[in-house]
Amino acid sequence: MQAKALGFGQQRTPARGIGKDEAAGKVTNGQKISRTTLPPCAVKDAENLKPSHTTGPAVGLQGSTRHTEAELDALEMLQWDKVCNQVACFSSTPFGRDKINQGQMPIGRTLQESIFLLDQTEAAVRINEELASQSHATIADILAKTENIDGILRMLEEKLTLQAADLAAVTRTMKAAEELSLTLEKCMPSSTDSKVSTSLMCVSPRLSDADRDLIDSVEKCISLDGNFVKDEASESLGEVRFHIKDLNSRIKDEMESIAREMYTAGAADRAKVSIRRGRLCIAVKASRHAELPGGSVVLDRSSSGLTYFAEPVSLLPLNNKLVDLKFQEQEIVKDVLSYLSIKAMSCQSSLNEMFLNLESLDLAFTRAGHAVWMGAVKPVLVEVDKRNILFDMKNAMHPLLVEGSLPSLPSTHGSIRTAKPRSSPTPITLEVPSGIHTVIMTGPNTGGKTASIKTAAILAMMAKCGLFIPASQPARLAWFDQVLADIGDSQSLEQSLSTFSGHVRKLIGIMRASTCASLVLLDELGSGTDPTEGSALATATIEKLNRRAALTLVTTHHAELKDIAARDPEVMNAAVEFDLSTLKPTYRILWGTTGDSMALQVARTVGLKEEILVEAEDLLKRRKLQGEETQSEYESLKEQLESSKAMQREAETFLKKSKIEHSRLSSEYRNLKERASLLDEVADADALEEEKEMKELVESTILELNESSISFDAALAILEELEEHAMTMAKSYMEKGYGIQRPEGWMPQVGQMVLVPKLGYVSAVIRSISNGSLMVEAGHLKLALSEEEVCPTVQDEEDTRKEIEGTGSYRIPGIEGTVDSEKNESVASMKDFPSVQLKRNTLDIRGKRAEDAEMLLDDFLSRSGKGAVFIVHGVGTGKLMRSVHAFLKGRPEVERFQVDKTSAGGCTVAFVK
């Protein structure tokens, strides 16, 4: 029965012990064992048999390795199956070779498991060296004595009776396992590190007393060379076989005598005894079979019908007795095999463990043989961490590339697989420092970019499997949980996938499967589509994987990807060297640099026509010049953009300050004006004179702001002076008792704007009210006052807010910025602020034809009162502005007009009489 290959670290379910009901066993494959068929001693022993070897599962790696679909695709692209085939050549057992060739070589699922496998390989190398120095039989020679008993062990699990050959195979394997165990204990070098030696000794196939008892029992009953049950297996078996032999000889003698007589008489073609249906007979001619003694039995006929196979009547009793003896022999053999099978079932757990340990030992010494053949070194594995170097290997080589320069591979134990000799490949240096998560590799075609990243991935996989790697000491690399890759052409006619679609599908799988401990390989990222879009997609992919995967190795011809390393410290460039003198790649990697594709040089070396190359070089030069001009224009536009943004920020800041100051000043002015209107008729002339002076001062100040181009600081100084004057005037009013009124029924509310008389009627906001006590806030000052110590403002807080947040626009000519105000009438009138731009004194005719604009302007001027009006015509070609100016010159009510300085020529201010 062919053994079913186990996955890495799989463990069989131990067989249960044989109970009384189960001891009813099986006689032949697939048939139940009948207790009554066992000899008495076998029945008694079967009842007493218990599994005496109850050790746990084989020490080492447990569980099975499950690969994602993306990882399986990557292993196929990396030709991992060919690496496995190379390693399998050093296996000493057929089951080991099958396991490795099927891609089931153990792969560490964690860093610790991979280190354990590497330690096993190191211990196996040292033991082979020790045995070679002592001229002992090698471990490979002993392993070659073992057999694949996996299928036999599964028969025991199913409680099936084993045949003599099965029991012989199990026994031979057990004896080889015991020899292995003794050899390992004798030959483990004392200098070997305890951790390394333990990794191998823990899978030493030690046998229990029950196992040895099984070996003794099988050897007594079964011939290990001939695979049959011995006569000594049972006293009755030897006696029955003796009678069978004697009777068989007698029948044969008599049958031969009759055959000679029939041949002499011409009734038979030859004097020979045949066997049909398990009985001896003679061949006679069909036309002469009646010459046999009466009562003879025809057992068979030839296909032509010309020959009968008949048993003479005189030999019928002897033949019947012979059949009975043979049946007795078969029953006794079945009883023996059943007895031995039950005994083997009691050792099921230890046999499973022994076979798993034999597999582990064979794999360890297979890896050791591969390491010695290749001259490989043990790598140092570290976890993925920002503090650890991800790759640090000198003179690294791909195992498949180096094969042709090494001695021939052994294809099976004792035979040689020859390979065509090749020169040794150029070794590469893999250096990825700590903190780097992406390497972008550039350079010419055929320069070795793809081979380099493949080598890195294969060496990472070899280290995970416990294989030594072809490199120089010390070799250090990170342990990656997965190796994911998109390499080569992903076109699929069966799935109707283009090259680009195939790459995208692979990329989707990689994105889903990758983790923070994964190694990702992307060959020619962004190819197969428009270069601009491909470059953008490649950049976004790299930035995503740079945050997601442990390390991403990218090859590309997109020059834009080289710039990523300049802005991201976790990305580095690398290039494959190209010898310009020979126009050939050197296959050396230059870390931290970028490389050119050298497409034209490579095309020249492979024989492309020179006239095509010359034309291509001319085109390339022109495009480079265009690119430099475009880059220069881009930089210039970029500087202009930055300058414009800075000016915009300044304007926004100035606008904000102007809005705040103008709103505050307007509020103070309205408060003073309202309080002045509330003066009694008995108010003295001094107060009225002060009000008049204040009004004139405000109007003159605004006029000065309108008619002059002053800086913001100068305007702010004038506004502060006006405010100070207004406060002085307000204090004078209050000292004289003017305007101090509390409307009947007025009650202060939280959030309301009030005046504080004792502080010179400064404005304050009520923040809280409790038992007649108010907490007010005036600027940064917070005060606790009574209700009698405050009085209401002319307008409430909501009116003030609407005035500040209105939607109308105003602008002071000469000062950049616009302010929205919904209540234009309350902000200022044309009389109060003759040069303030409002909705009602502004006409926007941008985009209008000259004739239409004149009609709109005529209507606008007829409806406008005295003061300034604003005509917004835009800049454009200047035609509309000239038409407006010509129209204004002909209007008698227009005293004068001028272009607004702050509008860059896009607005004209006209003053109406």
Side-chain angles (χ1 to χ4, degrees):
M1 180 181 293
Q2 183 179 0
K4 182 180 179 182
L6 294 175
F8 166 59
Q10 285 182 337
Q11 182 184 355
R12 301 179 187 83
T13 303
R16 294 173 295 166
I18 306 299
K20 289 185 178 181
D21 294 335
E22 292 171 319
K26 294 163 182 158
V27 177
T28 60
N29 289 339
Q31 298 179 356
K32 285 287 184 181
I33 295 176
S34 172
R35 178 188 291 270
T36 57
T37 62
L38 297 176
C41 61
V43 174
K44 182 177 179 180
D45 288 343
E47 291 176 348
N48 294 331
L49 284 176
K50 301 293 180 182
S52 59
H53 190 70
T54 57
T55 59
V59 179
L61 307 178
Q62 304 300 326
S64 59
T65 300
R66 295 184 181 274
H67 298 292
T68 63
E69 182 178 353
E71 189 174 13
L72 291 174
D73 288 342
L75 294 178
E76 182 179 355
M77 295 177 198
L78 294 171
Q79 297 178 299
W80 178 246
D81 57 331
K82 292 186 178 180
V83 176
C84 291
N85 292 339
Q86 185 186 80
V87 176
C89 293
F90 296 90
S91 175
S92 301
T93 65
F95 54 84
R97 283 190 295 276
D98 292 342
K99 194 179 188 72
I100 298 173
N101 282 326
Q102 292 170 8
Q104 297 178 1
M105 188 158 47
I107 301 176
R109 299 169 303 171
T110 64
L111 172 63
Q112 291 70 28
E113 288 184 358
S114 293
I115 292 175
F116 178 85
L117 292 172
L118 288 169
D119 288 342
Q120 282 188 333
T121 305
E122 181 183 0
V125 169
R126 296 187 182 182
I127 287 178
N128 278 338
E129 292 174 349
E130 186 73 15
L131 289 173
S133 64
Q134 299 176 8
S135 300
H136 282 294
T138 65
I139 297 295
D141 294 331
I142 303 174
L143 282 170
K145 300 177 183 178
T146 62
E147 300 179 39
N148 188 359
I149 61 172
D150 182 70
I152 299 173
L153 295 177
R154 294 189 183 280
M155 291 173 62
L156 290 177
E157 288 179 3
E158 297 172 9
K159 305 297 185 293
L160 297 175
T161 301
L162 302 182
Q163 297 302 304
D166 299 331
L167 290 165
V170 171
T171 303
R172 288 191 294 267
T173 301
M174 292 172 70
K175 294 180 70 174
E178 188 165 30
E179 184 181 358
L180 271 174
S181 178
L182 295 174
T183 304
L184 289 175
E185 291 176 1
K186 290 179 182 178
C187 299
M188 179 62 69
S190 57
S191 60
T192 304
D193 179 79
S194 60
K195 178 187 172 190
V196 173
S197 60
T198 301
S199 66
L200 197 61
M201 293 306 296
C202 69
V203 293
S204 177
R206 300 178 182 87
L207 301 184
S208 66
D209 292 339
D211 297 333
R212 296 185 182 91
D213 182 58
L214 176 61
I215 292 175
D216 293 340
S217 298
V218 173
E219 286 185 322
K220 289 178 182 178
C221 299
I222 306 293
S223 171
L224 301 186
D225 296 329
N227 297 332
F228 61 87
V229 178
K230 295 180 180 179
D231 294 346
E232 297 82 6
S234 169
E235 294 181 1
S236 57
L237 179 61
E239 182 179 352
V240 168
R241 284 180 174 173
F242 174 78
H243 290 307
I244 290 174
K245 185 178 180 180
D246 179 64
L247 187 57
N248 201 47
S249 177
R250 288 172 53 194
I251 294 174
K252 188 176 182 180
D253 290 341
E254 291 189 24
M255 193 71 70
E256 287 177 348
S257 175
I258 297 174
R260 284 192 297 270
E261 291 177 1
M262 296 297 292
Y263 176 71
T264 302
D269 293 328
R270 57 186 183 278
K272 186 178 179 181
V273 177
S274 301
I275 299 178
R276 288 292 185 274
R277 299 182 183 180
R279 301 171 72 93
L280 294 176
C281 58
I282 58 176
V284 296
K285 296 178 180 179
S287 58
R288 308 274 302 266
H289 77 279
E291 296 181 15
L292 288 171
S296 298
V297 178
V298 176
L299 300 177
D300 197 8
R301 293 180 175 83
S302 65
S303 58
S304 63
L306 299 178
T307 304
Y308 283 8
F309 297 93
E311 181 180 354
V313 64
S314 60
L315 297 178
L316 285 176
L318 295 179
N319 258 337
N320 288 336
K321 187 175 182 180
L322 179 63
V323 170
D324 290 340
L325 288 174
K326 287 184 177 181
F327 179 78
Q328 292 179 35
E329 178 192 22
Q330 291 176 1
E331 291 299 309
I332 296 172
V333 168
K334 289 178 183 178
D335 290 342
V336 172
L337 294 178
S338 297
Y339 168 70
L340 293 177
S341 296
I342 293 174
K343 201 161 191 176
M345 292 175 193
S346 68
C347 301
Q348 175 73 37
S349 176
S350 61
L351 290 175
N352 284 334
E353 179 183 347
M354 176 201 71
F355 189 65
L356 287 175
N357 287 340
L358 286 174
E359 286 182 332
S360 297
L361 277 178
D362 181 56
L363 290 169
F365 281 91
T366 297
R367 297 193 299 269
H370 182 261
V372 173
W373 169 77
M374 189 172 285
V377 300
K378 180 183 180 182
V380 177
L381 283 177
V382 297
E383 64 178 336
V384 173
D385 191 282
K386 287 188 176 181
R387 298 166 295 179
N388 290 333
I389 296 175
L390 299 181
F391 274 101
D392 185 13
M393 290 185 286
K394 306 290 191 302
N395 298 320
M397 292 180 287
H398 196 291
L400 298 181
L401 295 179
V402 78
E403 179 180 326
S405 62
L406 297 175
S408 298
L409 283 167
S411 58
T412 58
H413 185 63
S415 61
I416 298 297
R417 189 181 89 184
T418 59
K420 185 179 179 180
R422 296 194 300 262
S423 59
S424 179
T426 303
I428 62 174
T429 298
L430 297 172
E431 293 179 332
V432 181
S434 57
I436 295 297
H437 293 294
T438 302
V439 175
I440 301 175
M441 192 171 294
T442 54
N445 292 305
T446 71
K449 299 189 300 296
T450 303
S452 297
I453 63 174
K454 275 188 172 183
T455 300
I458 284 293
L459 297 186
M461 282 298 301
M462 291 176 67
K464 282 186 68 177
C465 295
L467 291 166
F468 286 11
I469 60 177
S472 299
Q473 285 282 24
R476 183 183 180 91
L477 71 157
W479 183 90
F480 301 101
D481 64 349
Q482 294 183 97
V483 176
L484 307 171
D486 179 18
I487 298 174
D489 188 0
S490 299
Q491 186 182 58
S492 173
L493 297 179
E494 294 83 359
Q495 300 180 22
S496 299
L497 289 177
S498 66
T499 298
F500 179 71
S501 300
H503 283 303
V504 171
R505 177 167 292 185
K506 293 285 177 59
L507 195 58
I508 292 172
I510 289 172
M511 289 291 190
R512 290 174 178 170
S514 60
T515 70
C516 60
S518 299
L519 172 63
V520 178
L521 278 65
L522 300 175
D523 187 34
E524 302 296 347
L525 181 60
S527 62
T529 187
D530 175 74
T532 303
E533 294 183 358
S535 176
L537 178 61
T539 300
T541 301
I542 289 174
E543 292 176 350
K544 177 70 173 179
L545 286 173
N546 191 51
R547 299 188 299 268
R548 184 178 182 89
L551 178 62
T552 304
L553 301 179
V554 179
T555 69
T556 183
H557 288 287
H558 289 297
E560 295 83 356
L561 302 188
K562 305 174 187 177
D563 300 331
I564 300 178
R567 61 178 183 268
D568 193 334
E570 294 182 345
V571 179
M572 75 177 298
N573 287 318
V576 288
E577 189 179 47
F578 191 81
D579 191 343
L580 293 176
S581 61
T582 62
L583 297 179
K584 292 182 179 179
T586 64
Y587 304 106
R588 291 179 58 233
I589 301 177
L590 305 177
W591 296 91
T593 63
T594 59
D596 296 325
S597 294
M598 299 291 179
L600 300 182
Q601 291 85 341
V602 173
R604 181 172 279 112
T605 60
V606 297
L608 187 64
K609 291 185 177 181
E610 188 64 24
E611 56 266 24
I612 298 177
L613 293 170
V614 170
E615 184 176 352
E617 288 171 345
D618 291 340
L619 287 172
L620 184 61
K621 290 178 182 178
R622 289 198 295 271
R623 289 180 181 177
K624 284 184 176 180
L625 289 175
Q626 292 174 358
E628 291 174 359
E629 293 176 358
T630 303
Q631 183 66 22
S632 177
E633 293 177 0
Y634 169 76
E635 294 297 334
S636 176
L637 291 174
K638 187 176 180 181
E639 291 178 2
Q640 294 180 29
L641 177 61
E642 293 298 329
S643 177
S644 299
K645 287 182 178 179
M647 293 175 63
Q648 180 183 0
R649 287 192 294 270
E650 291 180 9
E652 290 173 351
T653 302
F654 183 82
L655 173 61
K656 185 176 180 181
K657 292 180 179 179
S658 299
K659 178 180 178 178
I660 294 172
E661 291 300 322
H662 184 275
S663 300
R664 187 167 60 84
L665 183 60
S666 298
S667 179
E668 292 293 340
Y669 172 74
R670 287 192 303 275
N671 285 334
L672 290 174
K673 184 178 179 181
E674 184 66 21
R675 291 204 176 274
S677 67
L678 297 176
L679 288 175
D680 297 331
E681 293 180 359
V682 295
D684 57 16
D686 292 338
L688 295 175
E689 185 65 25
E690 288 178 0
E691 178 189 359
K692 183 178 179 181
E693 291 176 359
M694 181 62 191
K695 183 175 181 181
E696 291 176 353
L697 178 59
V698 171
E699 291 178 351
S700 63
T701 301
I702 293 176
L703 183 60
E704 183 180 356
L705 291 174
N706 288 335
E707 296 182 353
S708 62
S709 298
I710 62 174
S711 66
F712 173 76
D713 293 336
L716 187 60
I718 294 173
L719 295 175
E720 289 176 350
E721 181 181 354
L722 183 62
E723 180 185 10
E724 184 178 355
H725 187 80
M727 291 301 298
T728 303
M729 179 177 172
K731 289 180 180 179
S732 176
Y733 280 3
M734 299 311 139
E735 290 173 357
K736 297 176 181 180
Y738 299 143
I740 307 177
Q741 298 180 8
R742 289 170 56 88
E744 185 176 355
W746 178 79
M747 295 294 294
Q749 303 293 327
V750 174
Q752 190 176 28
M753 183 75 72
V754 296
L755 298 177
V756 183
K758 70 178 183 179
L759 296 179
Y761 281 80
V762 297
S763 299
V765 179
I766 300 175
R767 295 305 183 190
S768 64
I769 302 176
S770 177
N771 299 325
S773 177
L774 283 63
M775 178 62 69
V776 301
E777 181 177 349
H780 295 290
L781 183 65
K782 293 184 179 180
L783 298 172
L785 302 172
S786 64
E787 293 182 0
E788 291 74 17
E789 293 179 294
V790 299
C791 61
T793 60
V794 175
Q795 293 181 332
D796 59 16
E797 181 183 6
E798 181 62 22
D799 291 336
T800 304
R801 183 190 65 78
K802 287 183 179 180
E803 190 157 339
I804 294 175
E805 298 179 359
T807 57
S809 67
Y810 67 84
R811 178 168 46 79
I812 301 176
I815 301 176
E816 292 184 357
T818 59
V819 176
D820 293 337
S821 178
E822 197 172 78
K823 300 181 68 175
N824 294 318
E825 291 294 333
S826 65
V827 172
S829 66
M830 285 292 286
K831 182 178 179 182
D832 295 332
F833 293 100
S835 297
V836 175
Q837 183 180 357
L838 306 170
K839 275 188 176 180
R840 60 185 177 84
N841 66 346
T842 301
L843 176 65
D844 190 345
I845 57 173
R846 286 176 292 184
K848 305 292 184 182
R849 297 174 56 191
E851 295 79 3
D852 297 336
E854 289 180 0
M855 293 178 60
L856 294 172
L857 186 55
D858 178 66
D859 180 67
F860 176 67
L861 290 175
S862 64
R863 291 185 292 100
S864 300
K866 295 181 180 181
V869 293
F870 297 81
I871 301 98
V872 180
H873 44 65
V875 180
T877 62
K879 180 179 179 181
L880 186 58
M881 181 186 71
R882 290 191 295 272
S883 176
V884 169
H885 288 181
F887 182 82
L888 292 176
K889 287 180 181 180
R891 299 291 293 215
E893 68 268 30
V894 177
E895 181 180 1
R896 59 187 174 88
F897 62 88
Q898 66 184 36
V899 176
D900 184 3
K901 298 178 181 179
T902 64
S903 67
C907 178
T908 295
V909 183
F911 297 90
V912 183
K913 299 178 182 179

